[in-house]
């Protein structure tokens, strides 16, 4: 209300001042004389002021018309003007609208529509970093890989979008199965964005599959530094890569480089069974048995495993069976109730021909956890104590159809592996193999070349033995084709603990009762 009143008062004051000024001009004498073509014009004071105001208005109007003509001329020549900016705003508005509609179509899974909108946006907008990206993604969704590749190549040519272009081509090469080119592109993409987690994962996977263990370890370190990997997980995976590198070097012999890699892998992850076994072999090759014992003991504390026992046996290859039983107490005292510990102690006592102690140590494993190894050892004990042949063959028949017990099993897909590997052969997952009993156990033959002479003596025809057992009213088992026995860790002795000891000592009279 006050503001309206104030505006009215100001308006009245201005009118009053103008009227007062006009009155003063009317009362004044004199004026302005103008001569045009011999004609003289005399203007009074008020007329002179009005003429001056009109002249200023005409000059202003003339300048505006002149600037409009200049702008029109520039517009026709293609120069940027207010008029061109006006039309550009309209094009930009339509372009952004098409871009937004294309993104909505892309999110809705309508590849063809998104591609059409991308083309429309590219016509209206001069922003190839946006329109090329939309074109590439829409072309991929529509199945036009060639057009998508062309769009990604244009993105590579722009400094701002180079990473996006390289990453897009890398994913296309992965889909095509061209892993060599994808590996090079992943390295280039990581150089552009060192902290990009997805690129780190892709590069690590490709390097490991290509057995570029040194490069994979560098990528793993980059993941740790960028905060994309916890330190404990990093140490475990770095140990797996170091172990893989050591195994790769040690394929022909246990060289100095292989020893260093094996020992490094064990230090990074002491509970990794293959690393501990390989490190023990390295220490043995260097003549450091105490270090080997320390490594194996620590790994056995984490998880008893046959490969650890095989490596422990090679520390003193010339000892007698009784000496070996005594020395192995370093391991068997650890986790004495663990099935692997009990099976190991049973094997040692069988070789030493202490069958009563073997039976005591084995206990009820053959009844409560009847795998092929426990049943085969039970057959060996029965033969060693002089049991009837039918009893021995009965245990062996059960062993034929029994599960193999713990094996290397993928935690991701459940695939069973004959030996440890950094990758699952089925799902290609990294570091997922664990030593455990499979959820669906394999049916396998338990009689390997190392145990057969010890258990059954010199048997020429094992198939005839099974038929004779069936004739003596021993429960029949379903026929199962024998599978290959699981090889020891690399490098490892050609036979297990029992076989090597039996060959060295040439133990007589296994089938006789003590």
């Amino acid at each position: 209300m006050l503001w309206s009143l104030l505006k009215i008062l100001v308006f009245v004051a201005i009118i009053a001042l103008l009227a007062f000024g006009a009155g003063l001009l009317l009362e004044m004498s004199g004026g302005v004389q103008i001569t045009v073509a011999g004609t003289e014009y005399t203007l009074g004071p008020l007329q002179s002021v009005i003429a001056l105001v009109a002249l200023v208005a005409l000059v202003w109007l003339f300048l505006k018309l002149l600037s409009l003509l200049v702008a029109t001329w520039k517009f026709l020549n293609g120069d940027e003007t207010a008029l061109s900016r006006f039309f550009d705003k309209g094009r930009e508005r339509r372009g952004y609208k098409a871009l937004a509609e294309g993104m909505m179509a892309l999110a809705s899974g309508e590849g063809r529509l998104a591609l059409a909108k991308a083309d429309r946006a590219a016509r209206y907008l001069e922003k190839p970093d946006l329109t090329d990206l939309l074109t590439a993604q829409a072309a991929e969704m529509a199945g036009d890989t060639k057009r998508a590749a062309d769009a990604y190549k244009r993105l590579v040519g722009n400094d701002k979008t180079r990473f996006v272009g390289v990453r897009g081509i890398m994913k296309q090469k992965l889909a095509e199965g061209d892993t060599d080119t994808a590996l090079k592109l992943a390295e280039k993409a990581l150089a552009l964005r060192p902290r990009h987690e997805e690129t780190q994962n892709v590069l690590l996977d490709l390097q490991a599959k290509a057995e570029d263990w040194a490069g994979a370890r560098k990528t793993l370190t980059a993941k740790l530094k960028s905060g994309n990997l916890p330190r404990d997980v990093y140490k475990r995976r770095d140990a797996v890569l170091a172990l893989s590198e050591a195994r790769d070097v040690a394929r022909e012999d246990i060289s100095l480089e292989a020893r260093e890699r094996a020992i490094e892998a064990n230090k990074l992850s002491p509970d990794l069974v293959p690393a501990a076994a390989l490190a023990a072999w390295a220490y043995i090759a260097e003549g450091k048995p105490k270090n080997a014992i320390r490594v194996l003991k620590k790994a056995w504390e984490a998880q008893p495993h046959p490969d650890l026992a095989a490596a422990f046996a090679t520390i003193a290859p010339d000892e007698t069976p009784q000496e070996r039983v005594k020395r192995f107490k370093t391991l068997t005292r650890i986790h004495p109730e663990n099935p692997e510990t009990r099976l190991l102690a049973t094997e040692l006592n069988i070789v030493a021909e202490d069958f009563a102690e073997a039976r005591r140590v084995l206990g009820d494993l053959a009844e409560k956890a009847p795998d092929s190894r426990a049943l085969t050892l039970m057959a060996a004990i029965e033969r060693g104590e002089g049991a009837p042949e039918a009893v021995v063959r009965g245990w062996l028949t059960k062993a034929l159809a029994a599960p193999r017990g713990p094996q290397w099993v993928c935690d991701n897909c459940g695939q069973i592996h004959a030996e440890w590997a950094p990758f699952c052969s089925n799902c290609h997952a990294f570091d997922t193999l664990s030593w455990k009993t499979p959820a669906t156990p394999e049916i396998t033959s338990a009689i390997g070349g190392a145990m057969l002479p010890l258990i059954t003596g010199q048997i020429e025809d094992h198939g005839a033995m099974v038929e004779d057992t069936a004739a003596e009213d021993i429960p029949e088992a379903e026929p199962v084709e024998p599978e290959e026995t699981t090889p020891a860790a690399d490098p490892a002795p050609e036979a297990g603990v029992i076989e090597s000891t039996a060959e060295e000592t040439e133990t007589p009279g296994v089938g006789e009762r003590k």
Side-chain angles (χ1 to χ4, degrees), residues 71 75 79-89:
F75 174 73
D79 296 337
E80 182 180 357
T81 61
L83 190 62
S84 65
R85 286 194 295 270
F86 171 77
F87 287 106
D88 288 343
K89 285 183 179 179

Side-chain angles (χ1 to χ4, degrees), residues 365-386:
L365 277 182
E367 289 78 21
K368 290 188 175 180
D371 59 21
S372 59
R373 188 177 171 194
L375 293 170
T376 304
L377 292 176
M378 194 64 199
I381 293 171
E382 294 289 358
R383 174 174 285 278
E385 291 183 341

Side-chain angles (χ1 to χ4, degrees), residues 310-434:
F312 194 81
T314 58
I315 295 175
D318 300 326
E319 62 190 350
T320 64
Q322 289 74 20
E323 291 172 342
R324 177 156 292 188
V325 171
K326 183 177 180 180
R327 187 173 65 86
F328 260 81
K329 287 183 179 179
T330 303
L331 295 184
T332 56
R333 279 196 294 261
I334 304 170
H335 304 304
E337 296 302 320
N338 186 280
E340 179 59 39
T341 305
R342 294 168 66 181
L343 291 171
L344 171 62
T346 302
E347 291 178 356
L348 294 171
N349 282 287
I350 289 175
V351 175
E353 298 188 19
D354 190 352
F355 299 107
E357 180 63 16
R359 183 184 291 274
R360 186 194 66 80
V361 174
L362 186 62
D364 57 356
L365 277 182
E367 289 78 21
K368 290 188 175 180
D371 59 21
S372 59
R373 188 177 171 194
L375 293 170
T376 304
L377 292 176
M378 194 64 199
I381 293 171
E382 294 289 358
R383 174 174 285 278
E385 291 183 341
E389 196 68 20
V391 175
V392 177
R393 291 176 179 176
W395 286 110
L396 291 176
T397 302
K398 291 180 181 179
L400 286 174
R404 292 176 58 182
Q407 299 173 76
W408 289 113
V409 181
C410 176
D411 296 330
N412 190 41
C413 67
Q415 177 73 14
I416 300 173
H417 296 71
E419 62 178 358
W420 180 89
F423 281 93
C424 172
S425 61
N426 182 49
C427 66
H428 307 292
F430 179 71
D431 188 26
T432 57
L433 267 61
S434 300

